[in-house]
Amino acid sequence: MKSKYWALISLFSISIISKAWSQTLPADSGKLILHFKNVVNGQPLRLNDTAVNYHNSHGDKFTINTFKYYISNIVLFDDQGKKITLPPAYFLINAADSTTFDPVLTHVPPGKYSAISLMIGVDSARNFAGAQEGCLDPAQGMFWTWNSGYIFLKLEGISPQSNAKLHRLTFHVGGVKPQNTIRVQTIPLKKELIIGAGQTAKAVIITHIDALFSGKNQVDFSRLSFTMGGPNAVLIADNYATSLFTAWEETQR
Amino acid sequence: MKRRVIFLICLAILGAAGSGFESSLPVYTRQSDTTIFKVPANFPKPVYDFKGNRVSDAGFRLGRMLFYDPLISRDKSISCANCHQSFAAFAQLDHAVSHGVDECLGTRNTPALFNLAWQKEFMWDGGIHHIELSPITAMTNECEMASNLQEIVVRLNASEKYPALFKQVFHRDAINSQSVFRALAQFTSMLVSADSKYDQYIRHENNVVFTTDEQAGYAIFKAKCSACHTEPLFTDRSYRSNGLDKHPDDIGRDSITHQADDIGKFRVPSLRNVEVSGPYMHDGRFNSLKEVLEHYNTGVVSSPNLDPLLKKNGVLGIRLDHTEQLRLLAFLKTLTDTKFINDKRFQDPNKIKSK
């Protein structure tokens, strides 16, 4: 009788303990919502619009039908320059789906932050870990089927300068070995970002699509209109490595 | 005292629940004796860690059902087993190159499937890095099953039998591509071939002895072939050129690495079950093992990437006289695992009622 009673009590206390555990993290940590804005030539990206007249730094005209990229391994730097690595999270930003523009980072320790760093792509540990789900589901169309691994960033469109069939532009950037296209960009925040316990802050990240085609290697669409990993994908990744993102205003909620 | 014990037990239970499924220790065994993944005594540790995908009896059966189901292909005409036939150690008999939907002929010879849990890379060029993703090429290639993952998942979710079977194995309401890949891996990882005459000889089982020819062939093999076809898997899992072409049509490993010194290199295939898995080489150019041996003897052609082992001391290829060839053949046949080839567990469940 007595032992039964104690068993009940200990079960009860366990449920309290485990509940407490599951609540500790969210209770004294905050959230950060990143809002991504894809921009070309200083204008918000419009997909499949033939009237837009985008041009690259070489002067080639183009339009965009697809633009998607992975963001992962997010790190925050506080005002002392200390590095805070957030729990593993992977996000696919897809220009055709506005529900993907606002990834929510949880378990952010309260603090004042002055910079954020984003991996453009998927780290190799996860990339080669077998079948994944969610935004890493290969059914998302961001996975090569003959040379397995994620496409880290994909831009497809049309340019009259392209010599490919139907003047297509196909830039699929990905691959790790031997040509590594993983890039990590650290983005200084314009204003210090303060995240309080239990609070949700927001940072706006501007994604500059122009960065793909200029910088280290100016791209002339008549000579380069197609990459599927390999050395040409490295040219594109090197271009955007330090200039794909800038942070805009940060607001707190 | 007693209270304390009970409390500790409860904590222990809680701890166990917390550690959950993702235990990092590889666990290969599950309930039923029909589907136990065992590491053969003469084999190394497998590469596949079965993380998040321990083989269960129900999972193995589900994987097998998918393997034999043409539902996966676009026009529902072919299954994995059309190209990977059990009696050919899961290669495609009499087909130099794969034969997919709409009578489409591919460019590469369908490899045999066995001991996949020991493979770190897949395909002739090593383009696939994980056993779970190894079916993705065939599923989506226009010349193989010509489907796509969304379509396959939609079809399975809409089918009568699959949702319940998947739920039993993966404890989720909807089927996604991950569970399809994992189920198939529960079947393909179980395709272990390690019971040939050679294996029994090596493990000193059943008093197996080699004949004089087999013994002599084994010695020749160790001297002339095993640098690349390394025991016990009979491959060193590297990519090499064995001198098939001066200017290869299929660039092979280079299509993955984009490096000129990989042009014309292909993975060294295992030689287990090679007696039944012809035709041979990545493009299926040789129909018989005799032709293969004659290739090494007189057919090796020079190219910048030809493996140095095949041009030792300025001699192209590996000299093998008639007797040596006969002895090598005798040895290669000891690598045939009839128990594996005839194993009812691996055959079409619709044709053979295996319990």
Side-chain angles (χ1 to χ4, degrees):
Chain A
M1 198 57 210
K2 222 176 176 185
S3 62
K4 235 187 207 161
Y5 172 72
W6 269 102
L8 274 176
I9 296 241
S10 36
L11 266 180
F12 184 66
S13 54
I14 282 163
S15 63
I16 290 176
I17 293 170
S18 49
K19 210 164 182 187
W21 274 349
S22 63
Q23 277 172 358
T24 42
L25 275 171
D28 50 18
S29 68
K31 281 187 192 164
L32 173 59
I33 300 179
L34 298 179
H35 177 66
F36 283 86
K37 282 188 173 159
N38 300 313
V39 165
V40 204
N41 298 169
Q43 299 298 313
L45 167 65
R46 292 173 56 170
L47 291 176
N48 305 311
D49 188 339
T50 48
V52 285
N53 273 322
Y54 299 144
H55 54 84
N56 66 9
S57 67
H58 186 259
D60 305 339
K61 288 195 168 57
F62 69 108
T63 56
I64 300 177
N65 310 331
T66 303
F67 184 57
K68 300 182 191 187
Y69 47 99
Y70 280 110
I71 293 300
S72 68
N73 291 270
I74 298 165
V75 173
L76 289 169
F77 294 88
D78 72 9
D79 52 355
Q80 314 295 320
K82 204 178 124 203
K83 213 173 136 175
I84 287 103
T85 305
L86 298 184
Y90 299 83
F91 301 102
L92 177 61
I93 315 295
N94 177 359
D97 178 0
S98 62
T99 66
T100 65
F101 295 172
D102 302 273
V104 181
L105 314 180
T106 56
H107 302 327
V108 182
K112 290 183 187 165
Y113 297 102
S114 54
I116 182 168
S117 116
L118 307 176
M119 179 180 283
I120 307 158
V122 178
D123 54 281
S124 296
R126 184 59 68 110
N127 199 348
F128 304 125
Q132 304 292 320
E133 53 185 344
C135 78
L136 292 172
D137 187 329
Q140 298 277 1
M142 290 292 277
F143 194 85
W144 279 308
T145 56
W146 70 95
N147 178 6
S148 74
Y150 289 93
I151 300 168
F152 299 152
L153 178 144
K154 182 191 259 194
L155 179 143
E156 288 170 355
I158 308 278
S159 168
Q161 275 75 29
S162 161
N163 292 317
K165 213 165 142 189
L166 303 174
H167 302 292
R168 282 196 183 116
L169 297 178
T170 309
F171 292 97
H172 294 190
V173 180
V176 186
K177 253 190 357 195
Q179 293 91 5
N180 184 5
T181 58
I182 294 183
R183 295 295 178 272
V184 176
Q185 191 189 342
T186 301
I187 313 153
L189 300 172
K190 283 228 163 124
K191 232 170 41 194
E192 206 162 66
L193 181 70
I194 300 164
I195 301 179
Q199 289 188 345
T200 300
K202 191 169 171 181
V204 178
I205 306 284
I206 312 286
T207 306
H208 300 274
I209 297 175
D210 311 67
L212 272 70
F213 307 121
S214 63
K216 235 174 134 180
N217 313 293
Q218 190 183 57
V219 176
D220 166 353
F221 288 148
S222 70
R223 301 164 127 235
L224 183 64
S225 56
F226 182 91
T227 74
M228 279 282 161
N232 286 340
V234 173
L235 299 177
I236 306 296
D238 282 345
N239 275 345
Y240 65 60
T242 56
S243 55
L244 187 60
F245 303 121
T246 55
W248 196 236
E249 85 271 13
E250 295 85 39
T251 48
Q252 235 184 299
R253 261 191 238 154
Chain B
M1 199 61 216
K2 212 170 182 182
R3 301 166 194 170
R4 224 183 162 174
V5 170
I6 291 169
F7 188 72
L8 281 176
I9 291 177
C10 293
L11 273 182
I13 292 172
L14 180 70
S19 67
F21 278 103
E22 294 279 332
S23 146
S24 58
L25 286 171
V27 179
Y28 311 124
T29 52
R30 280 303 270 177
Q31 321 103 2
S32 158
D33 57 353
T34 53
T35 54
I36 293 173
F37 183 92
K38 285 201 199 108
V39 180
N42 55 329
F43 273 37
K45 196 175 151 250
V47 171
Y48 186 35
D49 61 7
F50 296 85
K51 205 171 169 187
N53 196 32
R54 291 191 287 187
V55 177
S56 69
D57 194 43
F60 168 84
R61 284 160 188 267
L62 175 57
R64 180 177 61 189
M65 187 179 279
L66 290 167
F67 191 87
Y68 285 98
D69 197 336
L71 184 88
I72 294 182
S73 61
R74 181 178 59 204
D75 57 6
K76 302 182 186 166
S77 65
I78 65 168
S79 73
C80 310
N82 277 66
C83 296
H84 298 287
Q85 301 166 324
S86 64
F87 51 82
F90 295 94
Q92 195 173 19
L93 198 70
D94 292 336
H95 280 76
V97 293
S98 63
H99 189 171
V101 297
D102 300 333
E103 306 298 318
C104 187
L105 286 178
T107 56
R108 289 192 184 153
N109 184 7
T110 307
L113 303 183
F114 52 77
N115 303 342
L116 297 169
W118 283 267
Q119 247 171 257
K120 61 178 173 10
E121 288 163 345
F122 297 82
M123 309 301 158
W124 285 101
D125 55 19
I128 303 285
H129 303 88
H130 199 282
I131 186 173
E132 288 169 11
L133 291 156
S134 56
I136 198 171
T137 320
M139 287 171 168
T140 55
N141 188 312
E142 276 305 310
C143 197
E144 294 179 28
M145 301 174 110
S147 188
N148 64 69
L149 296 177
Q150 286 101 322
E151 174 66 26
I152 291 168
V153 166
V154 165
R155 279 190 198 173
L156 292 172
N157 274 311
S159 77
E160 234 168 68
K161 62 182 177 188
Y162 281 111
L165 295 172
F166 271 93
K167 191 163 182 189
Q168 192 192 346
V169 177
F170 298 104
H171 313 290
R172 302 168 152 232
D173 286 330
I175 301 168
N176 65 10
S177 80
Q178 185 185 53
S179 23
V180 177
F181 287 128
R182 288 187 168 176
L184 277 165
Q186 292 206 20
F187 175 69
T188 55
S189 63
M190 285 290 293
L191 299 171
V192 177
S193 175
D195 218 5
S196 63
K197 182 171 182 184
Y198 159 84
D199 293 294
Q200 298 186 14
Y201 170 80
I202 292 289
R203 294 194 300 253
H204 309 290
E205 284 168 7
N206 310 326
N207 301 319
V208 166
V209 283
F210 274 173
T211 64
T212 330
D213 275 351
E214 288 166 353
Q215 193 67 56
Y218 187 24
I220 299 167
F221 182 83
K222 284 199 279 198
K224 301 192 167 173
C225 318
S226 68
C228 302
H229 299 284
T230 313
E231 295 166 70
L233 298 167
F234 288 86
T235 165
D236 68 348
R237 309 186 250 201
S238 66
Y239 302 86
R240 302 178 187 246
S241 158
N242 67 345
L244 294 174
D245 299 296
K246 196 169 179 58
H247 302 290
D249 290 340
D250 184 337
I251 57 176
R253 182 70 181 152
D254 175 51
S255 62
I256 304 303
T257 61
H258 309 282
Q259 287 179 329
D261 59 5
D262 279 334
I263 293 175
K265 288 189 186 169
F266 292 87
R267 64 104 172 269
V268 176
S270 173
L271 298 184
R272 288 176 169 275
N273 301 304
V274 77
E275 182 187 2
V276 300
S277 63
Y280 305 104
M281 305 300 165
H282 68 272
D283 53 5
R285 68 176 64 188
F286 299 130
N287 283 315
S288 69
L289 288 172
K290 265 172 121 167
E291 287 169 65
V292 172
L293 297 183
E294 203 43 49
H295 162 72
Y296 283 109
N297 185 26
T298 57
V300 169
V301 295
S302 191
S303 71
N305 292 336
L306 174 64
D307 200 276
L309 290 172
L310 295 175
K311 50 180 175 199
K312 275 203 282 198
N313 310 321
V315 178
L316 270 187
I318 303 171
R319 290 295 95 78
L320 297 165
D321 66 30
H322 185 66
T323 329
E324 285 176 313
Q325 293 197 18
L326 288 180
R327 289 175 170 164
L328 256 181
L329 273 180
F331 170 69
L332 290 177
K333 289 183 184 172
T334 70
L335 300 176
T336 306
D337 182 352
T338 43
K339 218 168 127 193
F340 168 74
I341 293 159
N342 297 322
D343 196 329
K344 299 237 183 317
R345 293 177 304 162
F346 302 144
Q347 295 176 11
D348 190 346
N350 307 314
K351 292 198 182 133
I352 292 159
K353 285 275 159 242
S354 68
K355 257 268 149 191

PDB file of all heavy atoms in Angstrom, chain B residues 191-212:
ATOM      1  N   LEU B 191      20.951  -7.260 -47.406  1.00  0.00           N
ATOM      2  CA  LEU B 191      21.461  -8.131 -48.471  1.00  0.00           C
ATOM      3  C   LEU B 191      22.946  -8.413 -48.214  1.00  0.00           C
ATOM      4  O   LEU B 191      23.821  -7.797 -48.798  1.00  0.00           O
ATOM      5  CB  LEU B 191      21.278  -7.469 -49.843  1.00  0.00           C
ATOM      6  CG  LEU B 191      19.840  -7.153 -50.250  1.00  0.00           C
ATOM      7  CD1 LEU B 191      19.814  -6.295 -51.516  1.00  0.00           C
ATOM      8  CD2 LEU B 191      19.056  -8.443 -50.482  1.00  0.00           C
ATOM      9  N   VAL B 192      23.184  -9.324 -47.303  1.00  0.00           N
ATOM     10  CA  VAL B 192      24.564  -9.648 -46.929  1.00  0.00           C
ATOM     11  C   VAL B 192      24.959 -10.956 -47.600  1.00  0.00           C
ATOM     12  O   VAL B 192      24.269 -11.969 -47.455  1.00  0.00           O
ATOM     13  CB  VAL B 192      24.702  -9.780 -45.404  1.00  0.00           C
ATOM     14  CG1 VAL B 192      26.137 -10.188 -45.036  1.00  0.00           C
ATOM     15  CG2 VAL B 192      24.327  -8.469 -44.730  1.00  0.00           C
ATOM     16  N   SER B 193      26.041 -10.913 -48.353  1.00  0.00           N
ATOM     17  CA  SER B 193      26.539 -12.131 -48.977  1.00  0.00           C
ATOM     18  C   SER B 193      27.900 -12.463 -48.379  1.00  0.00           C
ATOM     19  O   SER B 193      28.882 -11.763 -48.621  1.00  0.00           O
ATOM     20  CB  SER B 193      26.651 -11.930 -50.494  1.00  0.00           C
ATOM     21  OG  SER B 193      27.242 -13.081 -51.071  1.00  0.00           O
ATOM     22  N   ALA B 194      27.939 -13.508 -47.572  1.00  0.00           N
ATOM     23  CA  ALA B 194      29.173 -13.862 -46.863  1.00  0.00           C
ATOM     24  C   ALA B 194      29.206 -15.348 -46.566  1.00  0.00           C
ATOM     25  O   ALA B 194      29.740 -15.788 -45.557  1.00  0.00           O
ATOM     26  CB  ALA B 194      29.268 -13.070 -45.563  1.00  0.00           C
ATOM     27  N   ASP B 195      28.582 -16.115 -47.441  1.00  0.00           N
ATOM     28  CA  ASP B 195      28.524 -17.546 -47.154  1.00  0.00           C
ATOM     29  C   ASP B 195      28.963 -18.376 -48.353  1.00  0.00           C
ATOM     30  O   ASP B 195      28.482 -19.494 -48.567  1.00  0.00           O
ATOM     31  CB  ASP B 195      27.109 -17.921 -46.709  1.00  0.00           C
ATOM     32  CG  ASP B 195      27.152 -18.969 -45.608  1.00  0.00           C
ATOM     33  OD1 ASP B 195      28.276 -19.299 -45.153  1.00  0.00           O
ATOM     34  OD2 ASP B 195      26.071 -19.460 -45.227  1.00  0.00           O
ATOM     35  N   SER B 196      29.870 -17.838 -49.135  1.00  0.00           N
ATOM     36  CA  SER B 196      30.390 -18.580 -50.278  1.00  0.00           C
ATOM     37  C   SER B 196      31.350 -19.662 -49.785  1.00  0.00           C
ATOM     38  O   SER B 196      31.704 -19.693 -48.602  1.00  0.00           O
ATOM     39  CB  SER B 196      31.141 -17.613 -51.199  1.00  0.00           C
ATOM     40  OG  SER B 196      32.250 -17.081 -50.502  1.00  0.00           O
ATOM     41  N   LYS B 197      31.774 -20.492 -50.716  1.00  0.00           N
ATOM     42  CA  LYS B 197      32.763 -21.507 -50.361  1.00  0.00           C
ATOM     43  C   LYS B 197      34.016 -20.832 -49.797  1.00  0.00           C
ATOM     44  O   LYS B 197      34.591 -21.277 -48.804  1.00  0.00           O
ATOM     45  CB  LYS B 197      33.119 -22.330 -51.611  1.00  0.00           C
ATOM     46  CG  LYS B 197      34.110 -23.437 -51.314  1.00  0.00           C
ATOM     47  CD  LYS B 197      34.297 -24.379 -52.496  1.00  0.00           C
ATOM     48  CE  LYS B 197      35.260 -25.493 -52.109  1.00  0.00           C
ATOM     49  NZ  LYS B 197      35.556 -26.391 -53.238  1.00  0.00           N
ATOM     50  N   TYR B 198      34.407 -19.731 -50.450  1.00  0.00           N
ATOM     51  CA  TYR B 198      35.571 -18.968 -49.966  1.00  0.00           C
ATOM     52  C   TYR B 198      35.404 -18.584 -48.493  1.00  0.00           C
ATOM     53  O   TYR B 198      36.310 -18.765 -47.683  1.00  0.00           O
ATOM     54  CB  TYR B 198      35.750 -17.715 -50.836  1.00  0.00           C
ATOM     55  CG  TYR B 198      36.555 -16.623 -50.177  1.00  0.00           C
ATOM     56  CD1 TYR B 198      37.947 -16.629 -50.218  1.00  0.00           C
ATOM     57  CD2 TYR B 198      35.916 -15.584 -49.479  1.00  0.00           C
ATOM     58  CE1 TYR B 198      38.685 -15.637 -49.586  1.00  0.00           C
ATOM     59  CE2 TYR B 198      36.648 -14.588 -48.847  1.00  0.00           C
ATOM     60  CZ  TYR B 198      38.027 -14.618 -48.900  1.00  0.00           C
ATOM     61  OH  TYR B 198      38.749 -13.640 -48.262  1.00  0.00           O
ATOM     62  N   ASP B 199      34.212 -18.042 -48.137  1.00  0.00           N
ATOM     63  CA  ASP B 199      34.000 -17.605 -46.750  1.00  0.00           C
ATOM     64  C   ASP B 199      34.109 -18.772 -45.781  1.00  0.00           C
ATOM     65  O   ASP B 199      34.718 -18.655 -44.719  1.00  0.00           O
ATOM     66  CB  ASP B 199      32.620 -16.948 -46.606  1.00  0.00           C
ATOM     67  CG  ASP B 199      32.531 -15.631 -47.363  1.00  0.00           C
ATOM     68  OD1 ASP B 199      33.230 -14.680 -46.984  1.00  0.00           O
ATOM     69  OD2 ASP B 199      31.776 -15.580 -48.352  1.00  0.00           O
ATOM     70  N   GLN B 200      33.492 -19.885 -46.174  1.00  0.00           N
ATOM     71  CA  GLN B 200      33.524 -21.048 -45.280  1.00  0.00           C
ATOM     72  C   GLN B 200      34.954 -21.551 -45.128  1.00  0.00           C
ATOM     73  O   GLN B 200      35.371 -21.958 -44.047  1.00  0.00           O
ATOM     74  CB  GLN B 200      32.604 -22.138 -45.817  1.00  0.00           C
ATOM     75  CG  GLN B 200      31.157 -21.656 -45.871  1.00  0.00           C
ATOM     76  CD  GLN B 200      30.184 -22.756 -46.254  1.00  0.00           C
ATOM     77  OE1 GLN B 200      30.536 -23.927 -46.238  1.00  0.00           O
ATOM     78  NE2 GLN B 200      28.967 -22.370 -46.586  1.00  0.00           N
ATOM     79  N   TYR B 201      35.692 -21.495 -46.228  1.00  0.00           N
ATOM     80  CA  TYR B 201      37.096 -21.894 -46.191  1.00  0.00           C
ATOM     81  C   TYR B 201      37.881 -20.987 -45.229  1.00  0.00           C
ATOM     82  O   TYR B 201      38.611 -21.453 -44.353  1.00  0.00           O
ATOM     83  CB  TYR B 201      37.659 -21.825 -47.608  1.00  0.00           C
ATOM     84  CG  TYR B 201      39.153 -21.974 -47.698  1.00  0.00           C
ATOM     85  CD1 TYR B 201      39.755 -23.240 -47.630  1.00  0.00           C
ATOM     86  CD2 TYR B 201      39.976 -20.861 -47.855  1.00  0.00           C
ATOM     87  CE1 TYR B 201      41.132 -23.375 -47.717  1.00  0.00           C
ATOM     88  CE2 TYR B 201      41.344 -20.992 -47.946  1.00  0.00           C
ATOM     89  CZ  TYR B 201      41.924 -22.243 -47.872  1.00  0.00           C
ATOM     90  OH  TYR B 201      43.277 -22.371 -47.952  1.00  0.00           O
ATOM     91  N   ILE B 202      37.690 -19.679 -45.386  1.00  0.00           N
ATOM     92  CA  ILE B 202      38.407 -18.713 -44.541  1.00  0.00           C
ATOM     93  C   ILE B 202      38.023 -18.872 -43.074  1.00  0.00           C
ATOM     94  O   ILE B 202      38.852 -18.756 -42.182  1.00  0.00           O
ATOM     95  CB  ILE B 202      38.081 -17.261 -45.013  1.00  0.00           C
ATOM     96  CG1 ILE B 202      38.688 -16.991 -46.386  1.00  0.00           C
ATOM     97  CG2 ILE B 202      38.529 -16.206 -44.003  1.00  0.00           C
ATOM     98  CD1 ILE B 202      40.199 -16.866 -46.395  1.00  0.00           C
ATOM     99  N   ARG B 203      36.744 -19.149 -42.830  1.00  0.00           N
ATOM    100  CA  ARG B 203      36.276 -19.244 -41.441  1.00  0.00           C
ATOM    101  C   ARG B 203      36.412 -20.665 -40.887  1.00  0.00           C
ATOM    102  O   ARG B 203      35.941 -20.942 -39.794  1.00  0.00           O
ATOM    103  CB  ARG B 203      34.811 -18.784 -41.351  1.00  0.00           C
ATOM    104  CG  ARG B 203      34.600 -17.298 -41.659  1.00  0.00           C
ATOM    105  CD  ARG B 203      33.220 -16.818 -41.229  1.00  0.00           C
ATOM    106  NE  ARG B 203      32.145 -17.532 -41.904  1.00  0.00           N
ATOM    107  CZ  ARG B 203      31.372 -17.011 -42.866  1.00  0.00           C
ATOM    108  NH1 ARG B 203      31.550 -15.768 -43.243  1.00  0.00           N
ATOM    109  NH2 ARG B 203      30.417 -17.728 -43.428  1.00  0.00           N
ATOM    110  N   HIS B 204      37.003 -21.543 -41.664  1.00  0.00           N
ATOM    111  CA  HIS B 204      37.181 -22.953 -41.253  1.00  0.00           C
ATOM    112  C   HIS B 204      35.854 -23.586 -40.856  1.00  0.00           C
ATOM    113  O   HIS B 204      35.740 -24.179 -39.794  1.00  0.00           O
ATOM    114  CB  HIS B 204      38.173 -23.076 -40.085  1.00  0.00           C
ATOM    115  CG  HIS B 204      39.459 -22.375 -40.345  1.00  0.00           C
ATOM    116  ND1 HIS B 204      40.381 -22.813 -41.270  1.00  0.00           N
ATOM    117  CD2 HIS B 204      39.984 -21.244 -39.807  1.00  0.00           C
ATOM    118  CE1 HIS B 204      41.412 -21.990 -41.289  1.00  0.00           C
ATOM    119  NE2 HIS B 204      41.193 -21.025 -40.416  1.00  0.00           N
ATOM    120  N   GLU B 205      34.855 -23.388 -41.727  1.00  0.00           N
ATOM    121  CA  GLU B 205      33.543 -23.961 -41.407  1.00  0.00           C
ATOM    122  C   GLU B 205      33.301 -25.212 -42.242  1.00  0.00           C
ATOM    123  O   GLU B 205      33.755 -25.298 -43.396  1.00  0.00           O
ATOM    124  CB  GLU B 205      32.435 -22.935 -41.700  1.00  0.00           C
ATOM    125  CG  GLU B 205      32.346 -21.844 -40.656  1.00  0.00           C
ATOM    126  CD  GLU B 205      31.443 -20.677 -41.090  1.00  0.00           C
ATOM    127  OE1 GLU B 205      30.786 -20.789 -42.145  1.00  0.00           O
ATOM    128  OE2 GLU B 205      31.424 -19.668 -40.366  1.00  0.00           O
ATOM    129  N   ASN B 206      32.528 -26.112 -41.698  1.00  0.00           N
ATOM    130  CA  ASN B 206      32.067 -27.314 -42.412  1.00  0.00           C
ATOM    131  C   ASN B 206      33.194 -28.080 -43.110  1.00  0.00           C
ATOM    132  O   ASN B 206      32.964 -28.713 -44.142  1.00  0.00           O
ATOM    133  CB  ASN B 206      31.005 -26.950 -43.468  1.00  0.00           C
ATOM    134  CG  ASN B 206      29.906 -26.086 -42.875  1.00  0.00           C
ATOM    135  OD1 ASN B 206      29.564 -26.256 -41.708  1.00  0.00           O
ATOM    136  ND2 ASN B 206      29.374 -25.166 -43.657  1.00  0.00           N
ATOM    137  N   ASN B 207      34.387 -28.010 -42.580  1.00  0.00           N
ATOM    138  CA  ASN B 207      35.533 -28.717 -43.157  1.00  0.00           C
ATOM    139  C   ASN B 207      35.715 -28.455 -44.645  1.00  0.00           C
ATOM    140  O   ASN B 207      36.127 -29.337 -45.397  1.00  0.00           O
ATOM    141  CB  ASN B 207      35.390 -30.231 -42.947  1.00  0.00           C
ATOM    142  CG  ASN B 207      35.307 -30.555 -41.478  1.00  0.00           C
ATOM    143  OD1 ASN B 207      36.024 -29.963 -40.672  1.00  0.00           O
ATOM    144  ND2 ASN B 207      34.402 -31.467 -41.122  1.00  0.00           N
ATOM    145  N   VAL B 208      35.384 -27.241 -45.058  1.00  0.00           N
ATOM    146  CA  VAL B 208      35.516 -26.927 -46.477  1.00  0.00           C
ATOM    147  C   VAL B 208      36.998 -26.846 -46.860  1.00  0.00           C
ATOM    148  O   VAL B 208      37.794 -26.241 -46.151  1.00  0.00           O
ATOM    149  CB  VAL B 208      34.822 -25.584 -46.779  1.00  0.00           C
ATOM    150  CG1 VAL B 208      35.226 -25.053 -48.137  1.00  0.00           C
ATOM    151  CG2 VAL B 208      33.315 -25.758 -46.709  1.00  0.00           C
ATOM    152  N   VAL B 209      37.337 -27.485 -47.961  1.00  0.00           N
ATOM    153  CA  VAL B 209      38.701 -27.359 -48.479  1.00  0.00           C
ATOM    154  C   VAL B 209      38.649 -26.912 -49.937  1.00  0.00           C
ATOM    155  O   VAL B 209      37.698 -27.216 -50.662  1.00  0.00           O
ATOM    156  CB  VAL B 209      39.491 -28.696 -48.392  1.00  0.00           C
ATOM    157  CG1 VAL B 209      39.955 -28.955 -46.970  1.00  0.00           C
ATOM    158  CG2 VAL B 209      38.666 -29.844 -48.925  1.00  0.00           C
ATOM    159  N   PHE B 210      39.669 -26.224 -50.373  1.00  0.00           N
ATOM    160  CA  PHE B 210      39.785 -25.825 -51.765  1.00  0.00           C
ATOM    161  C   PHE B 210      40.375 -26.983 -52.573  1.00  0.00           C
ATOM    162  O   PHE B 210      41.217 -27.738 -52.064  1.00  0.00           O
ATOM    163  CB  PHE B 210      40.722 -24.613 -51.898  1.00  0.00           C
ATOM    164  CG  PHE B 210      40.041 -23.282 -51.715  1.00  0.00           C
ATOM    165  CD1 PHE B 210      40.796 -22.109 -51.674  1.00  0.00           C
ATOM    166  CD2 PHE B 210      38.660 -23.170 -51.615  1.00  0.00           C
ATOM    167  CE1 PHE B 210      40.185 -20.868 -51.528  1.00  0.00           C
ATOM    168  CE2 PHE B 210      38.040 -21.932 -51.470  1.00  0.00           C
ATOM    169  CZ  PHE B 210      38.806 -20.780 -51.419  1.00  0.00           C
ATOM    170  N   THR B 211      39.961 -27.122 -53.809  1.00  0.00           N
ATOM    171  CA  THR B 211      40.616 -28.077 -54.709  1.00  0.00           C
ATOM    172  C   THR B 211      41.998 -27.514 -55.057  1.00  0.00           C
ATOM    173  O   THR B 211      42.290 -26.346 -54.781  1.00  0.00           O
ATOM    174  CB  THR B 211      39.816 -28.224 -56.021  1.00  0.00           C
ATOM    175  OG1 THR B 211      39.846 -26.951 -56.696  1.00  0.00           O
ATOM    176  CG2 THR B 211      38.375 -28.633 -55.761  1.00  0.00           C
ATOM    177  N   THR B 212      42.804 -28.320 -55.707  1.00  0.00           N
ATOM    178  CA  THR B 212      44.146 -27.866 -56.085  1.00  0.00           C
ATOM    179  C   THR B 212      44.062 -26.623 -56.967  1.00  0.00           C
ATOM    180  O   THR B 212      44.811 -25.665 -56.782  1.00  0.00           O
ATOM    181  CB  THR B 212      44.887 -28.976 -56.871  1.00  0.00           C
ATOM    182  OG1 THR B 212      44.396 -30.232 -56.414  1.00  0.00           O
ATOM    183  CG2 THR B 212      46.377 -28.871 -56.678  1.00  0.00           C
TER     184      THR B 212
END
